[in-house]
Amino acid sequence: MAIIGSLIKGIIELRDKMVSEPNAEEAQLGVLKKLLNTAKNTEFGKNYDFEHILESDDPKKEFSAKVPYFDYNKINEQWWSKMHEGKEDVTWPGKPPYFALSSGTTGKTSKRIPVTEDMVDAIRQSGIKQVSALSNFDLPADFFEKEIMMLGSSTDLQTEGDHQEGEISGISASNIPFWFRGYYKPGEDIAKIEEWDDRIQRIAENAKNWDIGALSGIPSWMELMLKKVIEYHNAENIHEIWPNLQVYTSGGVAFEPYSKSFNALLAHPITVIDTYLASEGFLAYQQRPDTHAMKLVMDNGIYFEFVPLKAEYVNEDGSITDDAEVVPLSEVKEEVDYILLISTVSGAWRYLIGDTIKFTDLEKHEIKITGRTKFFLNVVGSQLSVNKMNDAVQELEERFDIQIPEFTLAAVRIDGEFFHSWYLGTTSKLNDDDLAEALDESLKAANKNYKVARSKALKGVKVKTIDPNLFNEWNALNKKKGGQVKMERVMNEEKFAEWEDFIATQK
C-alpha cells in the first residue's frame, strides 16, 4: 500500500474541500486595488496618479481611462529600461531580483521581463492551486509518491549586475520549495546544464534510475526528449522506461496539434493537464478532467482585461490600436476571441501579453488559448486565428491518418497575386496538392471571412511537407533549443523568405 502517497492525496483532497472559490469579480477588484496601492509611490504610479484611481468610485473604469495599453517594446522603452540603468521603484517597488528572458515566437533578441519576489511567490501559490486540483482527476494514491520530470530551460541563471537572468521555467525551477526537491527530476545538477542536447543526453542516460509519474513542459520539446530516451534505451515506447507515467502537464501552447504524435510515444493514454505559465506570470490551470480549458487565477497578483479580437484593433506588428475597446470580466462572452491584457505584481501594466483567448465556461471562468496577435493572418481579409489553423491541421491528421506536430505559413505574392503558403511537418509521404485542397476546404467551412477572401484577393493555398525536425533546427538557429521556445505559426514575407532559404539548404 502506498502509505505516503495516500497521506499526500488525503491532504490535497482536504485542502481542496477547505479552500472555497472566491467571487471572481470581487477578487479581481481586490487584486487591482492591491496592485495600485503597492505601486502608487513608484515612478509609474505617480505618473498615472494611482492615488486618484484608488480614491475614485470605480477604480476599474478609472484605471482603464488613465493608463494606456503597453506592449513589450513600449513599456520596456519607456519604463523597464530604467531598471537596467540601476533605478529603483520604476513600475514596482524596489528592483526585481530576476529578469525572464523570452524570445517568444519571433525574433532573435530576447525580451527581458522583470520578475519580482512577489511574482515568484505568486507563481508558487498558483502551482499549489494546480496541485490541489489534482484531487479532481481521480489519480491513484501511489501516483503521489512518483517523481516529476520538469523539462524547462537551464536553471543555471546568469548574474547580470544586481540581478539574475534566465527563462521563466529556469527561474521557477530554481525556486522550487525544499520539500519538493526529492520529487523533482532531472535534478539540480542536470537542470543546470546550459546546452539542450547535452542536458537531454544526460536525462536519457539516467532515465532508468527514476520512477517518473508526471511530465511537465512544452509539447514540442517534451516529444524530442521522450524520443531521445526511447532511442537511447532501444525501447518501443516511453512506458517501457517509465511504467508509472500517468500525467503530462502541458503548457505554453495548445496541446491538441501535438496530441497524435505525442500519444504515439506512449503504450497507453495518460492524463493531460493544460497550464498557462508565461514569462509574465502563472495565468491559468486546468482544474477538472472533463475539459481542456483552464481556469484563470483571479486572486493571485494578476489583473485581467479583455479586448475583442477584431481586425481593426490589431496592428501589423501584433500590437493593438490605442482606441481598441476593452471589455471587463463582467461583460465577456463565451466563444468570442479576446486579446488578453494583464497588470501584475512584477510591474506590468495593461500589458499586451500577445495571446488571444476565448471563454469556454463563464461561470467557472475557464478559457482556452486561441492564438497570438502576431499570428492573426489578415493580409487579404482572411482573418485567420491560430485556433482555426490548428483545427484545420487536426482535420488533415484525421482525414489522411498522419501526424503533423508542426506547421508555419505566410501570405506570399506570386506574380502579383496572394497565396497562403503552408509548410507542414510530417514524415508521411502524401501529395502536397491533395493536402492543399483539403486544407483550403476545411478553412472555407470553418471561417466565413476566409471563404470570402478566397473568392477575391486570396488566390489559393500551397502546401509543402517537410521533416518535422527542421522546425526544431530552425528554432535552434534563430533562438535556441528547449525551454519556452515556440515555433512561430505565421511569418511575414521577409521572415518567410529566410525560412525558405533555410529549408532549401537542408535538402
Side-chain angles (χ1 to χ4, degrees):
M1 180 180 178
I3 297 175
I4 296 176
S6 296
L7 287 172
I8 295 172
K9 183 178 181 181
I11 291 170
I12 289 173
E13 290 175 344
L14 180 62
R15 183 188 184 282
D16 190 55
K17 291 176 181 178
M18 292 179 63
V19 177
S20 60
E21 291 289 341
N23 176 282
E25 290 184 37
E26 291 179 2
Q28 279 287 276
L29 178 58
V31 168
L32 177 60
K33 286 182 175 179
K34 189 171 182 179
L35 290 173
L36 294 170
N37 189 60
T38 304
K40 64 185 178 183
N41 292 319
T42 63
E43 283 189 53
F44 192 95
K46 291 176 180 177
N47 187 74
Y48 291 105
D49 201 358
F50 282 6
E51 285 272 21
H52 174 76
I53 296 174
L54 283 164
E55 293 169 357
S56 68
D57 294 333
D58 190 342
K60 289 184 179 181
K61 185 176 180 180
E62 192 70 15
F63 177 64
S64 65
K66 274 191 170 291
V67 182
Y69 304 136
F70 287 92
D71 62 7
Y72 172 78
N73 290 331
K74 183 178 177 182
I75 198 169
N76 185 62
E77 181 181 335
Q78 295 182 14
W79 297 98
W80 289 348
S81 59
K82 297 179 182 181
M83 300 178 196
H84 301 301
E85 299 168 359
K87 290 190 176 181
E88 297 185 2
D89 304 330
V90 180
T91 61
W92 196 253
K95 289 193 288 187
Y98 306 100
F99 278 83
L101 302 180
S102 172
S103 57
T105 44
T106 55
K108 295 183 180 180
T109 304
S110 289
K111 298 176 181 177
R112 303 169 76 192
I113 298 165
V115 180
T116 63
E117 290 287 4
D118 292 310
M119 179 56 75
V120 170
D121 183 62
I123 290 173
R124 187 183 296 118
Q125 293 303 318
S126 293
I128 292 172
K129 289 175 182 286
Q130 183 188 15
V131 171
S132 296
L134 290 175
S135 63
N136 300 325
F137 287 82
D138 194 29
L139 296 166
D142 63 357
F143 167 77
F144 296 92
E145 295 182 350
K146 306 305 177 187
E147 294 162 325
I148 300 175
M149 171 64 69
M150 296 175 63
L151 187 67
S153 57
S154 171
T155 58
D156 188 19
L157 307 178
Q158 302 302 307
T159 299
E160 299 287 342
D162 57 0
H163 66 269
Q164 292 182 299
E165 296 184 350
E167 290 187 19
I168 192 64
S169 57
I171 294 171
S172 298
S174 67
N175 281 279
I176 60 173
F178 73 91
W179 53 266
F180 181 69
R181 292 181 182 178
Y183 297 92
Y184 165 60
K185 299 299 175 195
E188 293 182 42
D189 290 341
I190 295 177
K192 286 182 177 179
I193 297 174
E194 179 63 29
E195 290 298 322
W196 162 264
D197 291 327
D198 295 341
R199 201 176 337 136
I200 297 309
Q201 178 65 27
R202 289 286 301 279
I203 289 173
E205 292 169 356
N206 287 274
K208 284 195 171 182
N209 299 327
W210 304 324
D211 188 7
I212 301 297
L215 306 170
S216 177
I218 286 180
S220 55
W221 301 110
M222 185 62 69
E223 278 194 26
L224 284 181
M225 183 274 288
L226 295 178
K227 287 177 180 177
K228 180 65 176 180
V229 173
I230 291 169
E231 176 189 4
Y232 183 86
H233 294 281
N234 196 26
E236 291 293 324
N237 57 70
I238 196 61
H239 279 112
E240 291 185 11
I241 313 301
W242 296 325
N244 295 308
L245 176 62
Q246 299 181 64
V247 171
Y248 169 44
T249 302
S250 178
V253 295
F255 176 70
E256 285 85 352
Y258 302 92
S259 60
K260 195 166 186 177
S261 56
F262 186 91
N263 288 332
L265 304 175
L266 312 174
H268 53 77
I270 62 176
T271 299
V272 177
I273 301 174
D274 283 322
T275 61
Y276 191 1
L277 172 60
S279 299
E280 293 84 359
F282 197 149
L283 280 68
Y285 62 93
Q286 186 179 334
Q287 191 180 39
R288 56 195 180 97
D290 49 344
T291 180
H292 283 299
M294 298 172 287
K295 181 181 182 63
L296 283 175
V297 181
M298 294 292 191
D299 59 347
N300 191 30
I302 300 176
Y303 176 69
F304 299 98
E305 295 175 276
F306 311 92
V307 173
L309 179 61
K310 296 180 179 180
E312 60 265 33
Y313 292 160
V314 183
N315 298 316
E316 188 174 343
D317 64 355
S319 62
I320 57 177
T321 61
D322 292 337
D323 62 348
E325 171 193 8
V326 66
V327 176
L329 179 64
S330 59
E331 296 178 17
V332 294
K333 298 178 181 178
E334 288 184 5
E335 300 301 323
V336 173
D337 282 353
Y338 293 101
I339 300 164
L340 195 59
L341 298 176
I342 60 172
S343 300
T344 77
V345 290
S346 272
W349 298 101
R350 308 201 78 205
Y351 181 85
L352 178 68
I353 196 170
D355 292 326
T356 62
I357 60 99
K358 68 176 180 181
F359 282 85
T360 58
D361 189 315
L362 287 179
E363 184 177 350
K364 293 182 172 65
H365 299 99
E366 290 178 339
I367 63 157
K368 282 189 176 182
I369 301 171
T370 59
R372 301 277 294 171
T373 55
K374 288 186 178 180
F375 297 167
F376 183 54
L377 188 57
N378 192 41
V379 175
V380 287
S382 55
Q383 296 194 26
L384 273 184
S385 58
V386 172
N387 65 318
K388 296 296 185 185
M389 301 174 200
N390 285 338
D391 290 346
V393 170
Q394 282 186 269
E395 285 189 28
L396 287 187
E397 289 185 316
E398 296 303 317
R399 178 171 174 178
F400 293 95
D401 192 23
I402 59 176
Q403 298 173 13
I404 310 174
E406 295 286 5
F407 67 87
T408 193
L409 71 149
V412 299
R413 282 169 290 194
I414 302 174
D415 297 328
E417 295 184 322
F418 274 104
F419 291 79
H420 280 179
S421 182
W422 291 69
Y423 279 79
L424 304 179
T426 180
T427 56
S428 301
K429 304 299 181 184
L430 293 174
N431 184 279
D432 289 349
D433 290 339
D434 291 342
L435 290 170
E437 182 179 354
L439 187 61
D440 191 32
E441 291 302 319
S442 177
L443 290 169
K444 284 179 183 176
N447 188 324
K448 64 180 181 181
N449 293 305
Y450 177 86
K451 186 175 182 179
V452 171
R454 280 288 287 111
S455 68
K456 296 181 179 179
L458 183 59
K459 294 303 178 183
V461 171
K462 295 182 179 295
V463 163
K464 291 182 182 179
T465 53
I466 60 173
D467 185 337
N469 290 323
L470 293 177
F471 291 86
N472 300 319
E473 294 307 316
W474 167 261
N475 281 332
L477 177 67
N478 283 268
K479 305 154 192 172
K480 65 178 183 178
K481 290 184 176 180
Q484 299 296 106
V485 175
K486 293 162 273 190
M487 183 65 196
E488 56 261 66
R489 293 306 192 201
V490 176
M491 299 182 183
N492 60 31
E493 283 193 83
E494 181 181 357
K495 189 68 171 288
F496 197 68
E498 294 178 19
W499 161 260
E500 292 201 297
D501 288 344
F502 164 77
I503 295 298
T505 64
Q506 304 302 305
K507 295 180 179 179

